[in-house]
Amino acid sequence: MGSCEKENLFMKSAGPIIVGAGPSGIAVAACLKENGIPSLVLERSDCIACLWQYKTYDRLKLHLPKQFCELPLFGYPKNFPKYPSKKQFVSYMEAYASHFEIKPKFNQSVSSAEFDSESRVWRVCTQDSVYESRWLVVATGENAEAVVPEIQGIERFEGVVRHTCEYKSGCEFKGQRVLVVGCGNSGMEVSLDLCRYNASPFMVVRNSVHVLPREMFGLTTFGIAMVLLKWLPLRLVDRLILFMANLTLGNTDKLGLRRPKTGPLELKNATGKTPVLDTGALSLIKSGSIKVVEQGVREVTRNGAKFMDGQEIAFDSIVLATGYKSNVPFWLKGSDFFTDDGMPKTPFPNGWKGENELYTVGFTHRGLLGTTCDALKIAKEVTRQWRPVNGDSKLEIRSK
């Protein structure tokens, strides 16, 4: 058992062990609870939805309308706006957990989880305990760890370097020239936020990217796409969405934002790469307030950066909008269900179930809609297998 042998407190859970108390883990726990099945939710931080609470910028709002971002069985308050803020989403999560009486065990960082083929249980080890259950639900999601790229020379840069997981607002960067590495939704919104504090963002755009309006003709772009997909093939929907986007936004290629050859929905399904939903950054790119740098960074200097075309620009600070990744390969042992990148090998909609009662939620590249879909499937499957252990739904605690 490796590090587990050093522990002296064993806990046997009557129901599934769920690793992660973000939206995905809480959703599974709620669906199980609705079917009368207890669960044990383990969370490495001291709160639910820690990514939202601790590692997001202040001005963050849901990119999609709230009706597409509900967890199962419990909706948003009616007085919430169409695009809830970070604070409102966290309050919704807390109300959700309270409604279903979900009480995670906080400050439990999972170091390993492995299936014991002899006893037919999953053994999950944290820093001070070992938990056992017939079922294991991996709910740590696609965004568990920040991706920090290796950039030559960045260690000698004399200014501030922040990943977006540490960025809160542009207040810290007033009047500065800021290099923003990355042009996804985070890169665009950080650049927009920096402008509001009179900073000058330079946004590095190395790859092609789809930029779509958040709304078109008074309707949400995502909502339009969902309706069209009920009647039309995906590639035709992509063509229609891009036609309307070009009418609304113009030709983004001229701004240094080259569109991929694959349509936005097809690309999302194939690679998980999310299109950027514009919330105001594009107009600032057009006006020159946000400068697009189409060349990648060759190296960071003491007071700036050199780019692949030989250009050198001075910067006061650097923000890495380089995204997140799964951390599953670091702690899930003895299973080949996940790729080296920590994503299920089986694509959606069948990536929610592995062998030996291993389940996953939050790895669909489809946001909270994908989470809801998988959470309901997992609850249905576990309910089918459920057999109360001695009529007791509490943790059984024993010493080694």
Side-chain angles (χ1 to χ4, degrees):
M1 279 175 56
S3 62
C4 290
E5 293 178 350
K6 300 176 183 179
E7 312 297 345
N8 58 14
L9 184 61
F10 277 64
M11 299 187 184
K12 189 172 183 64
S13 176
I17 294 174
I18 301 170
V19 182
S24 296
I26 297 299
V28 174
C31 291
L32 290 169
K33 188 71 173 287
E34 192 74 359
N35 289 344
I37 300 174
S39 62
L40 172 64
V41 183
L42 301 178
E43 169 56 45
R44 64 180 175 178
S45 74
D46 60 358
C47 65
I48 63 171
C50 69
L51 178 66
W52 278 82
Q53 298 213 47
Y54 294 149
K55 298 184 178 182
T56 53
Y57 37 94
D58 293 342
R59 74 176 303 272
L60 178 64
K61 293 184 178 181
L62 293 181
H63 292 127
L64 303 180
K66 61 184 178 182
Q67 65 265 32
F68 298 113
C69 299
E70 287 184 347
L71 296 182
L73 311 173
F74 188 81
Y76 286 95
K78 291 182 179 180
N79 64 338
F80 271 30
K82 181 187 292 185
Y83 300 99
S85 67
K86 165 185 173 177
K87 184 176 180 181
Q88 287 169 327
F89 181 74
V90 170
S91 72
Y92 166 65
M93 284 291 300
E94 291 174 339
Y96 188 90
S98 176
H99 177 79
F100 292 101
E101 298 182 333
I102 300 167
K103 299 177 181 179
K105 287 184 69 67
F106 294 119
N107 301 309
Q108 291 294 293
S109 181
V110 173
S111 57
S112 69
E114 190 168 8
F115 185 71
D116 186 326
S117 57
E118 290 187 8
S119 57
R120 306 295 299 174
V121 297
W122 284 94
R123 191 163 290 124
V124 181
C125 304
T126 67
Q127 73 277 11
D128 56 21
S129 301
V130 180
Y131 303 90
E132 294 179 349
S133 174
R134 176 181 169 185
W135 304 272
L136 176 66
V137 181
V138 178
T140 46
E142 306 159 356
N143 302 315
E145 304 290 344
V147 173
V148 180
E150 293 184 6
I151 303 176
Q152 183 179 341
I154 198 165
E155 71 283 349
R156 63 173 177 257
F157 182 65
E158 293 184 350
V160 170
V161 179
R162 292 268 190 279
H163 188 275
T164 48
C165 69
E166 302 170 310
Y167 179 97
K168 295 304 177 187
S169 83
C171 181
E172 180 184 0
F173 305 93
K174 285 183 179 179
Q176 294 188 13
R177 293 162 65 89
V178 183
L179 178 64
V180 179
V181 181
C183 62
N185 280 298
S186 293
M188 289 281 194
E189 290 204 2
V190 164
S191 296
L192 175 62
D193 190 55
L194 287 166
C195 287
R196 292 178 173 174
Y197 288 89
N198 296 317
S200 299
F202 290 67
M203 186 174 65
V204 175
V205 182
R206 292 188 305 163
N207 302 312
S208 57
V209 58
H210 279 299
V211 181
L212 304 176
R214 186 164 66 172
E215 297 188 353
M216 295 188 289
F217 314 116
L219 302 172
T220 67
T221 301
F222 187 78
I224 292 172
M226 291 300 99
V227 171
L228 291 176
L229 284 171
K230 293 180 180 179
W231 306 100
L232 301 173
L234 183 144
R235 290 189 178 182
L236 180 55
V237 174
D238 267 340
R239 290 179 189 175
L240 292 171
I241 292 295
L242 288 176
F243 175 75
M244 291 187 286
N246 287 332
L247 286 179
T248 305
L249 302 177
N251 186 350
T252 60
D253 286 28
K254 295 180 179 179
L255 303 174
L257 303 170
R258 296 174 291 105
R259 290 197 183 279
K261 294 181 180 179
T262 306
L265 300 180
E266 185 179 359
L267 188 65
K268 172 74 171 172
N269 285 349
T271 68
K273 186 175 181 180
T274 303
V276 172
L277 296 178
D278 180 49
T279 58
L282 206 62
S283 65
L284 294 180
I285 292 173
K286 291 176 180 178
S287 71
S289 297
I290 298 174
K291 295 177 175 58
V292 171
V293 182
E294 296 184 63
Q295 297 292 324
V297 178
R298 174 180 293 170
E299 66 175 311
V300 172
T301 63
R302 185 172 57 85
N303 59 0
K306 293 181 180 178
F307 297 89
M308 293 299 181
D309 60 356
Q311 182 181 195
E312 185 172 355
I313 303 176
F315 296 105
D316 301 296
S317 300
I318 299 173
V319 176
L320 302 174
T322 44
Y324 295 85
K325 63 182 179 181
S326 165
N327 67 3
V328 175
F330 295 102
W331 57 268
L332 184 63
K333 311 298 181 183
S335 172
D336 63 355
F337 185 70
F338 285 84
T339 65
D340 292 340
D341 293 329
M343 297 296 293
K345 293 179 180 178
T346 307
F348 181 85
N350 301 312
W352 61 278
K353 181 182 179 183
E355 296 182 344
N356 302 317
E357 283 67 64
L358 172 68
Y359 303 97
T360 73
V361 60
F363 295 89
T364 65
H365 291 313
R366 285 163 175 78
L368 295 179
L369 281 177
T371 286
T372 293
C373 179
D374 285 351
L376 292 168
K377 288 179 181 177
I378 292 169
K380 183 178 180 180
E381 177 73 7
V382 173
T383 300
R384 184 181 63 80
Q385 302 169 7
W386 176 248
R387 295 291 182 274
V389 180
N390 297 325
D392 188 2
S393 62
K394 297 179 180 179
L395 287 177
E396 175 189 321
I397 303 176
R398 58 187 171 85
S399 297
K400 183 178 175 182

